[in-house]
């Protein structure tokens, strides 16, 4: 039911944890299942220098977050904003349709973290 890539990222998730004094933090809840995702960003020269995530989500949420962090590390904020849940699901070789909602968590939390960072820059 899950691709090998999904199983790999679920079993060995990349970039799990927190960034102390992160430049941006985004937290979202999944309206479908109630699970929660938090993403921490370290930003330098408008690029994502480091990214970590923590989730109270299912295996698909863990795998999509792990893949997302690999996809956007080193990207500019605008490039990272263009990464959608579908981009992540495709990079993982697809997700079962019933699990597509889980992939929203990572993309939405990333977008929220970028907005948090940008909001802090404006108020500086
Ligand atoms: Fe909640 Fe997958 S069931 S994130």
């Amino acid at each position: 039911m899950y691709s090998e890539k999904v199983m790999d990222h679920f079993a060995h998730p990349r970039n799990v944890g927190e960034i102390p004094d992160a430049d941006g933090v985004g937290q979202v809840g999944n309206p479908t299942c109630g699970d929660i995702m938090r993403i921490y960003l370290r930003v330098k020269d408008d690029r994502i220098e480091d990214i970590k995530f923590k989730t109270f989500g299912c295996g698909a949420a863990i795998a999509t977050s792990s893949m997302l962090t690999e996809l956007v590390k080193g990207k500019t904020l605008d490039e990272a904003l263009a990464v959608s849940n579908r981009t992540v699901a495709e990079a993982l070789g697809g997700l079962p349709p019933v699990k597509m909602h889980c992939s929203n968590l990572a993309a939405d939390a990333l977008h929220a973290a970028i907005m948090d960072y940008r909001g802090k820059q404006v108020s500086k």
Side-chain angles (χ1 to χ4, degrees):
M1 159 171 174
Y2 287 117
S3 71
E4 260 177 46
K5 270 194 188 161
V6 172
M7 292 312 292
D8 177 39
H9 278 267
F10 169 58
H12 312 283
R14 284 57 146 185
N15 303 306
V16 175
E18 286 178 38
I19 298 177
D21 303 321
D23 297 314
V25 180
Q27 178 171 316
V28 294
N30 193 322
T32 309
C33 61
D35 290 338
I36 292 172
M37 166 81 60
R38 196 176 292 163
I39 284 201
Y40 301 83
L41 294 179
R42 170 85 58 228
V43 180
K44 194 164 178 220
D45 298 333
D46 209 47
R47 278 184 192 275
I48 297 180
E49 191 179 55
D50 198 10
I51 175 166
K52 296 223 183 290
F53 77 93
K54 268 194 164 173
T55 186
F56 295 96
C58 67
I62 293 169
T64 47
S65 313
S66 169
M67 176 51 94
L68 175 104
T69 60
E70 290 211 315
L71 284 176
V72 303
K73 213 183 223 186
K75 281 201 162 48
T76 66
L77 297 180
D78 281 341
E79 288 167 345
L81 276 175
V83 172
S84 69
N85 67 320
R86 291 211 167 265
T87 320
V88 180
E90 278 165 21
L92 282 169
L95 279 175
V98 63
K99 284 287 173 184
M100 272 308 284
H101 75 90
C102 312
S103 65
N104 288 332
L105 272 181
D108 288 353
L110 169 67
H111 294 179
I114 292 173
M115 292 309 156
D116 180 50
Y117 168 75
R118 287 194 164 156
K120 285 178 182 158
Q121 301 310 300
V122 171
S123 59
K124 258 187 191 169

